[in-house]
């Protein structure tokens, strides 16, 4: 077992643990922290997979900005411990079991697809990706969706403007 | 490979929509407070008309844009015109509503424009991530629009449900894109049929994509959010929801379906079953509704089911039928929700079916127009809805989907009941309390005239539209 | 000259003109409506010379391209069978208007608009020669009737009107599926058409070779729609409700004309298009028709509600028509067509009379009446006259149709005719029994003692009806000679097609691709099927 | 020959009268109504006489003389013309109908003078004349059927003339409906004839029938079925078992109506049809036997009921039924001329009986119960004598018209090969009963002490307008039989000879009397003896001592009750047919099948759909979590569906 | 080396499937609107992992690019979503997703 594999297992365990903890913890703050753990673990995996820039963005934007927003809102709303109501029999009796079944389905098929998994890039070693190439791709080939995302942010601003403003 | 001016011309509608949206938002603070709404409305209407006019260029110059990210073809132009028209009508219809509910107009129109731009992108996107961004643009705008009546509990709730479930479904869609990417190494639809393929991942991916899109078009069993969201959202917004995003999601389905041939086999049974389920769920659910908005929401589920039948048929006439039907349906639904919005009164208080008692005498013109919409939804001849249904039957039978056609026939009858019930109330019941007739504002009147005239015109003279939507090469391959 | 178009749409034009009038100007609304209907009747009489005696085909045809994808034509035409049905419609509409001259006081404008629109729909059904167009009129005509029942009807009007519409739609939507399927079949031969004649000839000369099972399904799709309309037992339960709740004018048109659309459809579509299936199903249909005849009569006999009684009698009478059609005999089919006409007149008149009673007493219950012959002898006399025509007294209109149907049916299936003939006995029972309870004896209720007899208007309406009843009873050949050839034509189409199908196996494959010269060969749609 | 070319005039005249009186008569004075009503019939009678004269000058090959006016119904190969024809049979019927009819019209002007709806009465009566004339003059079955149904209609109208009385309205309705049952058979007969011969014209049918295969006795062949069906119609119209029940009730109508329609003319239409179709009947011995047996049984059966009736008109009604039975007996044994002969004489004497009874009722101020009469002989002598003549005629007193006709029938019955003796015996018993009940009627009404309240009832002789017809008919009743007096009585059988050309074979058959004169005389003597016995019995019971009758009634209580209640036939029909049918139609067909099963399932489908809709709606719980669960369900399904094709080989590998 | 990469890729994809599934489970399971929303974020993260892994597998960079897009979308969604959540919290005084059920049937 080589180093990267061990690291992979460690990070995977961390991510899974975070996810499970997200589900199980009753306080939103704990859940949020669990999610941050998952994100950081994933950032590690990105590094392992040779996507350094993405890993950085993941930590800064996701773990930093977005999750801070979450925590901020949790604090703002003074959200307490989650009350575990069971008003939906559908969710409890069907949704959850099928949710697990769905997970197994996905894992089964993804694992099953391994034999057909493309490995073209594996030979390339994976470290060829440079941030520059990424930039070229983003600002040339995918400039249109990129510009669209700016409007997405604009929309988000409107949302804050419209929804969160005090009543006049 | 670097974008040219030609690329920008081909996305002229989106450019116009986004700029007008931004402009409206920026301009509003500087408008005089007393006439702010009116000016915004005028600007928005002008903007929408310009956006519609801007489709002329793509109409004449088919091709691709941005290195194949977008396909500018008949389908794309058709949907641009469709969602543009919907936006125009919704803007016209919502002036009265915003005034009545005392809501800011500038942001509202801006959001409508952004949403429409997103739908436009969806309609022409040939690359899945672009489609996804378009989808998110329209969705996120929609979430905000749904909660636009901030203080109304129902509006909030509608927004929350739409947002949570919408994002949930989007995640599926996105995961599907990832799987497809993993299977083919590309997100460009036109490149998917070539090269190495991981069949398992491909199927899995398209299954997830189907889930995401089925959610957006409200196909069973993913229709579940629709009634709540439609009921809670401000009524003009409901009009937009029922016509715009749904059409755009169908456009994406159509493009995937038309471009990636293997999908036919993947999706056939899913479409078949979903179509049947959707029709039944929509129509049966609508039977017992007492709220007009909710009833129309269920009805829109049912109609999505009819469109899915045409999808399942997957032949040329089926494609034409989908487009024709969506157009006819959009006209009618926008019109109907506009009437509901108009009649709802302050705070949307009068949206129960029984509130319409005696409408035939109180407001004969409004009642007549609403009757026309209902008849079109029901599929009565000389309305657009009938021809739409007819073309779907045609498509289904041409592909020998006889059982599905018969199920659809059964559903038409079930559907007739609740549409007729509204007519019953309007014309055959006396009003429970004396309600004053509401004057019809010019803009709302205009919407009604346009949609009603369009419904009848399409019902009697479908040739132009049908010639357009059934031409060869409508969809770029 | 676009006579057929004018005839079809004149009422609509009148209706639009009515919309321009002020809603409370009842006098002029009524006058304008009646003028329209009367001129429509006069116009429709021009059709009669247009269909020469002994001519089988369609006359005064009008074909205009309408929808190009798929090819749908605006195609009208009239033949002997539809001729008198159109005239019947245009005749009954002014009668219905006069019948509601006084009794409709609310939303008068809308009422007459609906009646006129209904007239357009019904005439359109009878004149359309394009399947799509036919279906269009077939559906459109539902609406005005729906409103007539629903707005101006009686206590349970909403239930009845919804039942009427949903029932009819349930049948007709399947017919639409059938129509589209036929088009699909034609399309397989590169013939893009909904034209009745073209599809019929394609089916007849075997170019569209239907498998027996497919033919049966198609036949069923069409037949169900028509059987509901007729209504054939056991699909009849919408009828009593609709009739009881409908206003008089509605009942007159409903019984007089609308029900005939069903039997007309069987004659025009089921038989010529699907002869083999028709033959296969004929015994079953005949049994249902016979059950309908006897059942309708027996149930009518015990109805406490006069209007319901007449409604069930329609079930019985229309059973004769269906039986006549499905006996596939020249005589019985002519009898069926004749019975359609005479039932329109007789039952229309019966509803008229029941309506007059209702106008005076506001009830349909027989027990509320009794001894009415004393206060209103004229009405009693007319009622008897009409009842006699309805029970098939020779020299009045009802007899001719019934007699021909039974005579013709007997030639093919003596047992059917024997059972059906028993209906003749029961029709006397229910009509005379109810007549006695309403009109004979001492006046049982004080309020009935002072009921006014017929007004001048009512008298003239009834005199007109009575004159027609007598005329049709004595001079039946003036009618039959004009549709004799068309009826024969129906049979010819059946038998030739049948003869062909018997020898279908011997026909070489090459003939299948042959297309007659007159067919539109332009192919608007790609050969369909899954890509 | 002018009138022969205008045959239509004869029926048209009464029709015109009916139309004028019916449509405008309400405002006419009575005189006008009389002139129109009686005048039109009288002219018709005159025309009939003239027609008879002209007819007698026709050569044999011109007979039947037919005139077609227009095509009434035509479809396919079927064609029914409005075609009238004249032959010997028609002439006889024509004269009887118009003649007797006219007399009764005259009589009615007196009888109905004080009734309301006078114009209506004459309009109906004229209408009846029209249809009856159509019936006898028709040249094809459909047109005959027009008359056939038409007289039924007129009968309905006239029986229900006093429509304020429920019993009258009931009786009218009953008459029409029972007749319709017969018509059902008649129509089927027409259909079968058309199927067999391709036409319904008499000439075509009969000329084809001459050559058709004759069925053997007991064989249910074509001819037999046709004849049995035709006879069904006749049974209804002519009130034979089992459809006779309407006729006694029909006495609710005004008495002239009973005389004209329910005695002289309409009810004999059945006999006419059988005689008209004798060609067919001669090919169907089984049917003939049935006709004879039914006729004979009816004759006996009705007579027994007549024995105990107390209503003067009811007695006559059952007598009519009984006499009609005789006519059918004659036809059944092959002697159509005898049947027709009896038809004619019966028309005379039964019309007379009814008119006289009407006169009695008129005199008694409306009383019809014989138990409340008695000793009227002196107050109303004209009526008494007229009625006596008629009674003698019907009882078969030698020399009177009924003697000849009845004698001929009994003789032919005796000679018939199939079951002849039994028919003869039963006929003889019926004759005995006839004589008995007729004289019983005479004695109860005219003899003995008055049993009515002489202070309140002022018995008075009827006006001249009523008496003249009585006298004329009395003369006919007495002398009418001599046209056919058999050779042994010194006369020639003119009647049979006259009808010979029409009856053809049938006439020949009966001219060849096997037993000769002596047997004829013997039989006549027996018949007379029987009649006298009947007379004596009646005299003994009703004039000598009443206690005899009472003792008899006591000792045969069961039989007596049975007879008084007319064998409970009405009650049985009511219990076995009418009530179950109404019950069945109401409870089973309407309530159970229509409302319950059919409409119930229709509404059930609607309700079921609603209920499912309600369940579907329930899914929409409003809880976002459950919505998410649904999305998951959908996702699992879609993924499962799409990957199923891959799973199958995967599973296959495992195994 | 190649085998290791292969393992890493496969493992990452399976992990992403697991995380996605857990996200779905979390969505159904959690009651607090904020945490429900977090489970969506979890699902998006799973998607990102898949993108990166497939990007590596195909040796193409666009997979990584998509991650940016997803992150931007997630950010926008977070802004809007949290705004809506604040609205709900203000108007309802409850963050339990099950209690927000006035729209139903």
């Amino acid at each position: 077992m080589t180093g990267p594999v061990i690291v992979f297992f460690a990070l995977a365990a961390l991510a899974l643990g975070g996810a499970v903890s997200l589900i199980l913890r009753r306080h939103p703050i704990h859940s949020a922290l669990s999610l941050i753990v998952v994100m950081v673990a994933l950032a590690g995996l990105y590094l392992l997979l040779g996507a350094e820039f993405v890993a950085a963005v993941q930590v800064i934007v996701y773990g930093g900005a977005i999750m801070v927003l979450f925590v901020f809102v949790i604090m703002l709303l003074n959200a307490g411990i989650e009350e575990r109501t069971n008003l939906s029999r559908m969710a409890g009796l069907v949704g959850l079991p099928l949710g697990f079944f769905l997970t197994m389905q996905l894992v089964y098929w993804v694992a099953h697809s391994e034999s057909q998994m493309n490995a073209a890039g594996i030979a390339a070693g994976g470290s060829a990706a440079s941030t520059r190439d990424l930039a070229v791709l983003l600002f040339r080939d995918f400039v249109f969706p990129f510009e669209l995302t700016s409007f997405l942010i604009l929309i988000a601003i409107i949302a804050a403007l419209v929804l969160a403003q005090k009543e006049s | 490979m670097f974008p040219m001016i030609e690329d920008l011309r081909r996305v002229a509608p989106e450019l116009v929509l986004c700029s007008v949206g931004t402009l409206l938002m920026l301009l509003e603070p500087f408008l005089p407070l007393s006439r702010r709404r009116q000016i915004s409305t005028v600007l928005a209407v002008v903007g929408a008309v310009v956006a519609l006019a801007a489709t002329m260029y793509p109409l004449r110059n088919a091709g691709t844009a941005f290195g194949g990210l977008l396909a500018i073809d008949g389908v794309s132009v058709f949907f641009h015109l469709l969602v543009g028209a919907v936006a125009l009508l919704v803007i016209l219809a919502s002036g009265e509503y915003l005034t009545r509910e005392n809501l800011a107009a500038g942001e509202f129109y801006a959001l409508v424009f952004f949403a429409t731009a997103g739908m436009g992108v969806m309609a022409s996107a040939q690359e899945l991530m672009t489609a996804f961004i378009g989808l998110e643009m329209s969705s996120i705008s929609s979430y905000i629009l749904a909660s636009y009546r901030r203080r109304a509990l129902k509006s909030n709730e509608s927004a929350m449900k739409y947002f949570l479930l919408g994002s949930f479904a989007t995640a599926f869609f996105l995961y599907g894109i990832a799987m497809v990417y993993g299977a083919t190494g590309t997100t460009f639809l036109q490149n998917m049929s070539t090269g190495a393929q991981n069949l398992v991942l491909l199927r899995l991916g398209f299954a997830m994509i189907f889930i995401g899109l089925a959610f957006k078009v409200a196909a069973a069993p993913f229709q579940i959010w629709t009634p709540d969201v439609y009921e809670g959202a401000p009524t003009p917004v409901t009009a937009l929801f029922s016509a715009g995003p749904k059409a755009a999601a169908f456009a994406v389905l159509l493009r995937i379906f038309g471009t990636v041939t293997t999908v036919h086999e993947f999706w056939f049974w899913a479409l078949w079953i979903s179509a049947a389920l959707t029709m039944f769920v929509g129509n049966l659910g609508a039977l017992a509704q007492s709220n007009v908005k909710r009833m129309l929401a269920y009805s829109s589920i049912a109609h999505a089911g009819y469109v899915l039948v045409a999808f399942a048929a997957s032949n040329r006439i089926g494609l034409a039928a989908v487009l024709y039907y969506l157009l006819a349906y959009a006209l009618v639904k926008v019109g109907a929700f506009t009437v509901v919005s108009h009649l709802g009164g302050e705070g949307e208080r009068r949206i129960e079916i029984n509130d319409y008692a005696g409408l035939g005498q109180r407001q004969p013109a409004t009642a007549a127009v609403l009757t026309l919409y209902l008849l079109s939804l029901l599929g009565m001849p000389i309305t657009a809805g009938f021809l739409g249904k007819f073309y779907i039957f045609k498509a289904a039978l041409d592909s020998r989907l006889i059982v599905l056609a018969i199920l659809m026939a059964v559903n038409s009858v079930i559907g007739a009941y609740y549409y007729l019930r509204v007519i019953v109330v309007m014309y055959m019941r006396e009003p429970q309390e004396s309600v004053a007739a509401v004057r019809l504002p010019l803009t709302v009147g205009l919407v009604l005239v346009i949609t009603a005239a369009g419904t009848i015109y399409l019902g009697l003279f479908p040739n132009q539209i049908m010639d357009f939507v059934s031409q060869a090469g409508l969809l770029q391959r | 000259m676009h006579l057929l178009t004018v005839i079809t749409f004149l009422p609509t034009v009148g209706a639009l003109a009515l919309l321009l009038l002020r809603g409370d100007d009842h006098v002029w609304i009524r006058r304008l409506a009646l003028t329209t209907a009367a001129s429509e009747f006069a116009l429709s009489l021009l059709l009669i010379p247009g269909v020469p005696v002994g001519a089988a085909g369609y006359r005064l045809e009008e074909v205009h391209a309408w929808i190009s994808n798929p090819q749908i034509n605006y195609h009208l035409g009239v033949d002997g069978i539809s001729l008198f049905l159109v005239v019947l419609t245009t005749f009954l509409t002014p009668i219905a208007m006069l019948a509601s001259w006084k009794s409709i006081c609310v939303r008068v404008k809308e009422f007459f608009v609906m009646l006129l629109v209904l007239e357009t729909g019904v005439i359109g059904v009878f004149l359309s020669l394009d399947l799509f167009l036919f279906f269009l009129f077939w559906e459109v005509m539902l609406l005005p009737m729906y409103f007539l029942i629903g707005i101006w009807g009686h206590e349970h009007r909403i239930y009845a009107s919804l039942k009427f519409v949903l029932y009819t739609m349930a049948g007709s939507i399947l017919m639409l599926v059938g129509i589209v399927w036929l088009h699909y079949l034609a399309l397989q031969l590169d013939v893009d058409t909904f034209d009745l004649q073209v599809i019929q000839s394609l089916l007849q000369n075997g170019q569209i070779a239907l498998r027996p099972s497919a033919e049966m399904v198609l036949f069923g799709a069409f037949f169900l729609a028509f059987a509901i309309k007729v209504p054939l037992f056991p699909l009849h339960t919408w009828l009593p409700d609709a009739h009881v709740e409908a206003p008089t004018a509605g009942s007159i048109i409903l019984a007089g004309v609308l029900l005939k659309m069903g039997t007309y459809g069987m004659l025009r579509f089921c038989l010529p298009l699907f002869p083999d299936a028709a033959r296969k199903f004929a015994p079953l249909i005949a049994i249902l028709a016979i059950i309908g005849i006897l059942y309708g009569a027996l149930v009518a006999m015990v109805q406490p509600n006069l209007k319901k009684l007449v409604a069930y009698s329609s079930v019985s009478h229309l059973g004769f028509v269906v039986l006549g059609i499905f006996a596939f005999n020249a005589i019985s089919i002519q009898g069926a067509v004749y019975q359609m006409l005479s039932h329109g007149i007789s039952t229309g008149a019966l509803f008229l009379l029941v309506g007059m009673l209702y106008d005076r007493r506001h009830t349909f219950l027989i027990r509320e009446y009794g001894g009415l012959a004393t206060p209103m002898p004229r009405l009693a006399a007319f009622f008897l006259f009409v009842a006699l025509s309805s029970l098939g007294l020779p020299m009045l209109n009802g007899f001719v149709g019934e007699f021909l149907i039974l005579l013709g049916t007997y030639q093919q299936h003596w047992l059917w005719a024997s059972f059906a003939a028993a209906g003749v006995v029961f029709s006397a029972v229910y009509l005379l029994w109810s007549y006695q309870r309403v009109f004979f004896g001492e006046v049982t209720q004080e309020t009935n003692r002072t009921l006014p007899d017929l007004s001048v208007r009512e008298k003239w309406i009834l005199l007109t009806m009575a004159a027609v009843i007598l005329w049709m009873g004595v001079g039946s050949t003036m009618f039959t000679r004009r549709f004799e050839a068309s009826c024969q034509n129906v049979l010819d189409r059946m038998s030739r097609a049948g003869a062909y199908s018997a020898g279908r196996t011997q026909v070489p494959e090459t003939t299948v691709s042959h297309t007659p010269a007159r067919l539109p060969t332009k192919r608007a749609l790609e050969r369909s099927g899954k890509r | 020959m002018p009138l022969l070319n205008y045959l239509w005039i004869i029926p048209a005249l009464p029709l015109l009268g009916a139309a004028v009186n019916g449509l405008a008569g309400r405002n006419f004075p009575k005189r006008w109504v009389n002139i129109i009503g009686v005048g039109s019939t009288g002219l018709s009678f005159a025309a009939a006489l003239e027609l008879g004269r002209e007819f007698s000058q026709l050569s044999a090959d011109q007979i039947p003389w037919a005139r077609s006016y227009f095509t009434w119904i035509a479809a396919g190969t079927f064609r029914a013309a409005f075609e009238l024809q004249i032959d010997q049979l028609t002439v006889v019927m024509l004269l009887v109908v118009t003649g007797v009819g006219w007399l009764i019209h005259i009589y009615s002007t007196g009888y109905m003078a004080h009734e309301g709806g006078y114009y209506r009465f004459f309009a109906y009566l004229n209408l009846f004349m029209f249809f009856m004339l159509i019936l006898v003059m028709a040249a094809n079955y459909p047109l005959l059927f027009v008359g056939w149904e038409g007289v039924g209609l007129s009968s309905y109208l006239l029986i229900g003339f006093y429509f304020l009385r429920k019993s009258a309205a009931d009786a009218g309705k009953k008459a029409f409906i029972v007749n319709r049952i017969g018509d059902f058979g008649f129509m089927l007969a027409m259909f079968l004839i058309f199927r067999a011969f391709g036409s319904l014209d008499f000439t075509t049918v009969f000329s084809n029938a001459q050559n058709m295969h004759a069925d053997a006795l007991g064989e249910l062949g074509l001819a037999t079925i046709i004849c049995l069906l035709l006879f069904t119609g006749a049974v209804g119209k002519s009130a034979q078992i089992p459809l006779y029940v309407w006729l006694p009730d029909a006495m609710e109508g005004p008495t002239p109506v009973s005389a004209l329609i329910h005695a002289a003319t309409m009810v004999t239409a059945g006999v006419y049809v059988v005689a008209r179709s004798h060609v067919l009947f001669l090919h169907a011995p089984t049917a003939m036997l049935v006709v004879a047996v039914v006729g004979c049984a009816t004759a006996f059966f009705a007579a027994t009921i007549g024995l105990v009736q107390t209503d003067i008109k009811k007695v006559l009604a059952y007598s009519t039924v009984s006499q009609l039975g005789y006519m059918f007996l004659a036809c059944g044994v092959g002697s159509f001329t005898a049947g027709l002969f009896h038809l004619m004489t019966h028309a005379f004497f039964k019309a007379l009986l009814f008119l006289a009874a009407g006169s009695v009722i008129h005199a008694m101020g409306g009383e019809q119960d014989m138990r409340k009469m008695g000793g009227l002989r002196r107050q109303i002598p004209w009526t008494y004598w007229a009625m006596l003549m008629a009674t003698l005629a019907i009882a078969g007193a030698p020399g009177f018209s009924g003697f000849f006709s009845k004698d001929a029938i009994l003789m032919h019955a005796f000679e018939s090969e199939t079951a002849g003796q039994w028919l003869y015996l039963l006929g003889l018993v019926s004759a005995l009963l006839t004589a008995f009940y007729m004289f019983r009627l005479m004695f109860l009404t005219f003899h003995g002490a008055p049993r009515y309240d002489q202070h309140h009832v002022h018995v008075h002789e009827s006006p001249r307008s009523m008496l003249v017809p009585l006298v004329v008919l009395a003369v006919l009743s007495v002398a009418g039989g001599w046209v056919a007096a058999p050779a042994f009585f010194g006369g020639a059988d003119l009647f049979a000879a006259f009808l010979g050309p029409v009856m053809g074979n049938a006439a020949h058959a009966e001219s060849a009397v096997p037993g000769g004169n002596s047997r004829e005389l013997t039989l006549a003597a027996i018949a007379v003896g029987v009649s006298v016995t009947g007379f004596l019995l009646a005299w003994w019971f009703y004039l000598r001592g009443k206690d005899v009758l009472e003792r008899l009634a006591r000792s045969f209580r069961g039989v007596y009750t049975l007879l008084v209640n007319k064998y409970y036939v009405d009650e049985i029909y009511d219990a076995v047919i009418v009530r179950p049918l109404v019950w069945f139609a109401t409870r089973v067909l309407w309530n159970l099948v229509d409302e319950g099963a059919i409409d119930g399932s229709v509404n059930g489908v609607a309700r079921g759909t609603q209920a499912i809709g309600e369940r579907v709606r329930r899914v929409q719980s409003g809880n976002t979590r459950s919505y998410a669960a649904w999305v998951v369900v959908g996702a699992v399904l879609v993924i499962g569906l799409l990957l199923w094709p891959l799973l199958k080989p995967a599973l296959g590998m495992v195994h | 080396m190649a085998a290791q990469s292969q393992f890493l890729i496969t493992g990452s994809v399976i992990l992403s499937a697991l995380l996605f599934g857990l996200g779905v489970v979390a969505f159904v399971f959690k009651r607090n609107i904020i945490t429900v929303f977090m489970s969506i974020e979890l699902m998006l993260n799973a998607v990102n992992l898949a993108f990166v892994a497939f990007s590596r597998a195909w040796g193409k960079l666009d997979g990584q690019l998509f991650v940016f897009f997803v992150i931007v979308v997630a950010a926008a969604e977070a802004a809007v979503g949290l705004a809506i959540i604040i609205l709900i919290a203000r108007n309802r005084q409850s963050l339990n997703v099950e209690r927000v059920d006035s729209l139903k049937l």
Side-chain angles (χ1 to χ4, degrees), chain B residues 89-90 93-94 96-98 100-101 103 108 145-146 148-149 155 158 229-243 291-294 296 333-351 356:
Chain B
L89 292 172
V90 167
S94 50
E96 184 204 13
Y97 186 88
L98 295 172
R100 198 171 60 207
E101 304 290 328
L103 296 170
F108 185 90
L145 285 170
Y148 208 77
R149 275 171 69 213
S155 183
S158 152
V229 171
Y230 280 24
E231 187 190 344
T235 317
V237 174
T238 313
L240 181 72
F241 284 179
S242 68
N291 180 311
V292 182
K293 263 169 103 175
R294 210 172 165 80
L296 286 174
K333 266 285 150 75
V334 170
F337 277 116
T338 303
V339 172
V340 174
S341 149
H342 166 66
L343 294 175
E346 200 186 331
E348 299 197 0
R349 277 178 293 118
R350 277 194 286 281
I351 50 170
Y356 290 5

Side-chain angles (χ1 to χ4, degrees), chain D residues 407-608:
Chain D
D407 188 52
I409 292 171
L410 287 175
M411 189 184 76
H412 283 103
F414 186 74
E415 286 161 1
S416 109
E417 289 143 24
T418 50
Q421 327 301 333
W422 293 104
L423 293 175
Y424 171 75
L425 271 180
L426 208 55
L428 211 55
V429 176
S430 306
L432 173 87
L433 298 175
T434 306
F436 175 79
Y437 65 68
M438 280 317 299
F439 281 106
R440 166 178 176 267
L441 182 148
M442 289 303 289
F443 296 149
L444 279 177
T445 310
F446 293 103
H447 295 266
R451 292 179 297 275
Y452 51 89
D453 185 350
Q454 282 165 323
H455 298 290
H456 288 93
V457 183
H458 301 288
V459 179
H460 52 88
E461 184 58 286
S462 301
R464 194 173 302 155
S465 58
M466 290 166 69
L467 292 181
V468 172
L470 290 188
V471 173
V472 176
L473 282 172
V475 172
L476 286 170
S477 304
V478 174
W482 288 88
V483 289
F488 76 89
F489 224 79
D493 194 345
L494 291 173
F495 193 77
F498 180 67
L499 285 181
V502 184
M503 293 304 160
N505 290 338
H508 287 300
E510 63 199 67
S511 62
V513 178
N517 240 349
S518 62
R519 184 197 274 176
E520 215 167 326
L521 277 174
T522 323
L523 290 176
I526 295 171
V528 171
V530 163
S531 295
V532 170
T533 317
F535 162 74
L536 287 176
L537 279 173
W539 176 76
W540 188 48
F541 282 180
Y542 291 95
L543 285 186
R544 270 291 301 278
K546 300 258 164 40
D547 52 334
V548 182
L549 187 67
E550 276 166 26
R551 262 188 286 133
L552 207 63
R554 241 196 325 274
S555 50
F556 291 97
R557 177 171 297 279
V559 179
Y560 181 75
T561 323
L562 196 64
L563 289 181
V564 165
N565 289 299
K566 305 154 207 160
Y567 294 101
Y568 297 100
V569 171
D570 277 327
E571 286 78 2
I572 291 169
Y573 282 0
D574 192 54
V576 175
I577 297 170
V578 180
R579 271 168 203 284
L581 196 65
V582 169
W583 179 87
F584 178 72
T586 316
R587 295 281 160 226
V588 178
L589 288 184
W590 183 32
N591 293 353
L592 197 73
V593 177
D594 208 65
E595 292 185 325
I598 299 174
D599 210 27
S601 54
V602 170
N603 287 332
V605 167
R607 263 197 298 276

